[in-house]
């Protein structure tokens, strides 16, 4: 059996939503101290809907595939749904990740949570 699913390979080789949103409403950056990988998520939010999302990931193939899939899962969705996105859901949407690569999907969950927190704290300041 191949180590990586076709979906993982597809999102790794053709990642969706790569880039930067200059006037993002929320930005979240996380890293994994062990492997040194870094992920940054940018959100554009309008009326509690995620209208756009982009990512920059300096990391392994699974981290890139996880970022790509996670951005696809929250794009166009209400904030409440994005808040509930788990790394398990990201990994499942990718048809699974090898056990020793599950931490890569955790980065995606954490980066999105951080970007949502950043958005909320900016809203409170307004
Ligand atoms: Fe670190 Fe994948 S090996 S995020």
């Amino acid at each position: 059996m191949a180590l990586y699913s076709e979906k993982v390979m597809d999102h790794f080789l053709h990642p969706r939503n790569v880039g930067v949103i200059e006037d993002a409403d929320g930005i979240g950056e996380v890293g994994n101290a062990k492997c040194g990988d870094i992920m940054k998520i940018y959100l554009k939010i309008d009326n509690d809907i995620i209208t756009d999302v982009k990512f920059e990931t300096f990391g392994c193939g699974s981290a890139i595939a996880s970022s790509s899939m996670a951005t696809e899962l929250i794009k166009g969705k209400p904030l409440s749904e994005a808040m509930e996105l788990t790394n398990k859901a990201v990994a499942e949407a990718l048809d699974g990740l090898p056990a020793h690569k599950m931490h890569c999907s955790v980065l995606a969950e954490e980066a999105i949570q951080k970007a949502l927190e950043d958005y909320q704290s900016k809203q409170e300041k307004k």
Side-chain angles (χ1 to χ4, degrees):
M1 199 188 104
L3 186 57
Y4 295 106
S5 72
E6 273 176 34
K7 274 197 192 161
V8 172
M9 291 310 293
D10 179 37
H11 279 264
F12 166 54
L13 294 171
H14 312 284
R16 286 47 151 193
N17 309 310
V18 177
V20 174
I21 299 177
E22 294 296 346
D23 57 343
D25 298 310
I27 300 175
E29 184 173 343
V30 290
N32 181 298
K34 271 197 193 155
C35 63
D37 292 353
I38 298 168
M39 191 181 291
K40 202 165 177 181
I41 297 270
Y42 301 84
L43 299 175
K44 198 77 198 142
I45 295 165
D46 188 24
N47 255 329
D48 283 354
I49 301 284
I50 298 178
T51 53
D52 199 10
V53 48
K54 295 252 185 275
F55 79 89
E56 291 178 305
T57 292
F58 181 82
C60 73
S62 299
I64 291 167
S66 295
S67 329
S68 171
M69 180 55 88
T71 54
E72 286 285 273
L73 290 173
I74 64 167
K75 203 174 189 177
K77 298 278 164 59
L79 292 185
S80 54
E81 242 178 84
M83 274 173 208
E84 283 172 10
L85 182 77
T86 61
N87 79 295
K88 227 178 137 233
V90 174
E92 271 167 20
L94 287 168
D95 289 340
L97 282 169
H100 68 288
K101 285 287 176 182
M102 279 305 279
H103 79 270
C104 316
S105 62
V106 172
L107 275 189
E109 176 188 323
E110 288 178 352
I112 289 173
Q113 293 308 324
K114 257 200 159 168
L116 290 168
E117 281 164 25
D118 181 48
Y119 168 71
Q120 273 157 353
S121 73
K122 281 178 181 149
Q123 290 301 105
E124 279 158 24
K125 280 184 204 145
K126 271 188 194 166

